[in-house]
Amino acid sequence: MSNGRLLIVSGPSGSGKDTILKKVFERVPEVKFSISSITRPMRPGEVEGKKYNFVSREYFEEMIKNDLLLEYNNYVGNYYGTPRGPVDEVIKNGGEIIIEVDVNGARNIKNKVADAVSVFIMPPSFEVLKARLTGRGTDNEEVIKQRLDAALAEIACAEQYDYIVVNDNLEEAVEDFITIIKTDRLSVKRQKYLINEVLKKC
Ligand code: 5GP
């Protein structure tokens, strides 16, 4: 059986990573998504158990205590963490799982799982990023500035990733992302089992 693979995805607010991932899962439905446990309140339109499990602080701290999280981070006053169980299960069965985390989470996972593949979703330019963050029309100027500063700080960490996917044209970005998944599937590391399988027959 093929070795499993953990794929880490990060990208600043305004990079369009959620839209890209939604389309990627439509095209490669066998790839799983890691549902994070988080303590921030649910936003309008969010659904329990889709992208996040919304849990209490007490529950989250129990998870930390019992070592049930692969990684966790405190982001703007709330906990965000990746439950270990579902990730281990997919990897054990030779599958692929995408974990969407901030840059700290990505670093923590890479330290624990050295062969995880990491992808940074990048806006094509500063101007486009600013226009996307402003265009939502939901935030005042101060909040937009904060989001922009946070985005620039994340982009400064992009060189720690294995791949960068630029989200200029959505369809091309989705294609690029799927190319990374397919390229990884062709690597010797993931196909070592084949060598033994063929040799066994001679
Ligand atoms: P938001 O509150 O906007 O949904 O997410 C805030 C940030 O938390 C985003 O950068 C997102 O990628 C990150 N995030 C989501 N889930 C996790 C997680 O399980 N662990 C970590 N470290 N970051 C996460």
Side-chain angles (χ1 to χ4, degrees):
M1 186 169 54
S2 165
N3 290 324
R5 181 69 86 214
L6 207 155
L7 294 140
I8 305 166
V9 181
S10 306
S13 176
S15 63
K17 64 180 180 268
D18 287 344
T19 316
I20 293 176
L21 287 181
K22 188 167 173 280
K23 288 193 168 271
V24 167
F25 289 119
E26 283 166 13
R27 297 258 311 268
V28 281
E30 69 277 18
V31 176
K32 303 284 182 264
F33 179 70
S34 161
I35 299 171
S36 297
S37 291
I38 69 168
T39 62
R40 84 152 157 70
M42 201 186 267
R43 291 182 190 137
E46 286 185 323
V47 179
E48 163 64 26
K50 194 152 186 249
K51 182 175 176 191
Y52 294 135
N53 284 317
F54 296 88
V55 302
S56 67
R57 251 190 129 70
E58 294 70 35
Y59 188 88
F60 198 100
E61 282 166 359
E62 274 301 300
M63 292 176 90
I64 299 174
K65 215 166 83 190
N66 294 318
D67 196 25
L68 297 179
L69 298 170
L70 176 62
E71 63 78 40
Y72 69 94
N73 193 27
N74 200 312
Y75 184 92
V76 210
N78 287 300
Y79 283 127
Y80 291 71
T82 305
R84 195 187 285 284
V87 176
D88 288 350
E89 187 64 24
V90 172
I91 301 298
K92 193 180 80 190
N93 292 317
E96 292 140 333
I97 187 162
I98 291 180
I99 305 186
E100 196 228 290
V101 287
D102 66 340
V103 291
N104 291 311
R107 212 172 290 133
N108 289 338
I109 295 173
K110 267 284 195 183
N111 284 339
K112 288 186 183 166
V113 186
D115 67 358
V117 171
S118 57
V119 183
F120 192 88
I121 311 287
M122 181 81 92
S125 67
F126 177 80
E127 287 72 25
V128 171
L129 177 68
K130 193 169 177 199
R132 284 182 188 163
L133 291 179
T134 315
R136 288 177 173 175
T138 48
D139 301 318
N140 63 38
E141 229 165 83
E142 184 50 34
V143 173
I144 291 170
K145 191 181 172 316
Q146 281 173 13
R147 282 175 174 275
L148 201 53
D149 287 348
L152 296 178
E154 287 189 57
I155 290 167
C157 299
E159 65 179 71
Q160 296 165 14
Y161 287 71
D162 299 313
Y163 298 98
I164 290 176
V165 167
V166 178
N167 184 14
D168 190 2
N169 173 300
L170 177 62
E171 291 310 322
E172 277 176 28
V174 171
E175 202 58 53
D176 287 348
F177 199 104
I178 291 172
T179 301
I180 293 169
I181 294 174
K182 290 190 173 168
T183 305
D184 179 61
R185 284 178 181 171
L186 297 174
S187 66
V188 170
K189 231 175 174 177
R190 293 214 51 203
Q191 300 195 95
K192 252 191 185 146
Y193 71 103
L194 271 179
I195 303 171
N196 290 333
E197 246 175 48
V198 173
L199 286 179
K200 250 190 332 209
K201 304 270 174 345
C202 59

